[in-house]
Amino acid sequence: MNETTSPELNLQEPQGPALELDAAPPRNLKSDSGTPLAVGVLAVIALLAALLLVPMSRDTESGSMADASPTMGWLDALRRLLPGQDDDADDVEISMPEASPAPGADPFAVPQLRALKGQSCLNYLPGGNTTAVRQAVADLLWEKLDDSVQAVMLERLEMCTPFEAVSGDVISAGGCRKGECGRNDASFYINTQGKVAVDYRVDGVCNQATEDGFTQTRLLCQ
């Protein structure tokens, strides 16, 4: 039997370095944490909110919501600038212009042209047998023409056609010499604004005249 020898048990452990205590007072850890900065920011935000909300709440309690609202304030200032509006007016009424006839509408719906619908030269020329129609054509057209143009037109209305719509804003009537349509003829044009134009052919050569304000010149000498 082999026996082994154990090392000697030594209960005296080696001593470590001595613990030294710092006699200085402990540092303020809060100064390094950033807490004072956060508290200061929150305080500034709270102060600004109080300065803004307190006056608005007072105005609301006194019933002056228009002064507390920036949008209402601008609208109220704009209302006061409009002519004819006083400070006590609640609503601003803006008058809209009357609508003109839509494109493609019946030009005979215009009151000054209504009486001419379907009327021929037997009715509307000087000496015609319908007084109202004759006077309407005289006012709108005939009295605006030079005497020389009137004479040429009369020569070319031996055969005539009644007034009819040629576009959404123009009516027309005309005629020609017997057997010479397309070479010696004439036409009248009146738009819904009461402006007129004429065209007439002398041996196939087309001439035209327009009043200022008659813009539908594409219809002439076709």
Side-chain angles (χ1 to χ4, degrees):
M1 168 181 260
N2 294 325
E3 294 183 0
T4 59
T5 302
S6 300
E8 183 179 356
L9 180 62
N10 184 5
L11 298 178
Q12 300 295 327
E13 294 291 336
Q15 295 181 356
L19 178 63
E20 297 181 359
L21 298 178
D22 191 357
R27 291 182 301 170
N28 188 358
L29 298 180
K30 291 184 179 181
S31 61
D32 297 335
S33 64
T35 302
L37 178 60
V39 172
V41 172
L42 292 176
V44 172
I45 294 175
L47 178 61
L48 292 177
L51 292 176
L52 177 63
L53 296 177
V54 169
M56 291 183 65
S57 63
R58 290 177 180 174
D59 291 338
T60 302
E61 292 173 359
S62 63
S64 57
M65 288 298 295
D67 294 335
S69 172
T71 302
M72 294 296 293
W74 277 107
L75 291 177
D76 187 59
L78 178 61
R79 176 178 60 81
R80 291 191 177 96
L81 291 177
L82 293 176
Q85 301 295 325
D86 53 27
D87 293 339
D88 297 330
D90 293 329
D91 299 321
V92 176
E93 296 183 0
I94 302 176
S95 59
M96 300 298 292
E98 295 182 1
S100 58
D106 181 9
F108 288 108
V110 176
Q112 63 180 342
L113 303 182
R114 187 176 299 141
L116 304 183
K117 186 173 184 177
Q119 301 294 329
S120 67
C121 57
L122 296 177
N123 299 323
Y124 62 71
L125 285 181
N129 54 19
T130 305
T131 303
V133 176
R134 184 176 69 246
Q135 187 61 48
V137 172
D139 294 340
L140 288 169
L141 173 69
W142 199 251
E143 294 179 356
K144 298 177 182 179
L145 303 178
D146 293 339
D147 293 342
S148 59
V149 176
Q150 290 181 7
V152 172
M153 302 296 284
L154 288 174
E155 289 178 356
R156 283 153 179 75
L157 291 176
E158 294 179 347
M159 300 177 60
C160 61
T161 58
F163 274 105
E164 60 183 4
V166 292
S167 72
D169 50 5
V170 177
I171 65 172
S172 178
C176 60
R177 288 180 178 178
K178 292 181 180 180
E180 298 181 10
C181 293
R183 289 189 54 81
N184 289 287
D185 51 17
S187 297
F188 309 109
Y189 304 88
I190 309 174
N191 67 17
T192 51
Q193 286 74 45
K195 305 301 181 180
V196 301
V198 297
D199 63 14
Y200 55 92
R201 288 179 174 83
V202 179
D203 296 330
V205 179
C206 188
N207 303 274
Q208 65 185 50
T210 60
E211 181 184 13
D212 289 343
F214 186 93
T215 60
Q216 297 83 4
T217 54
R218 69 187 184 282
L219 299 173
L220 305 179
C221 292
Q222 291 186 355

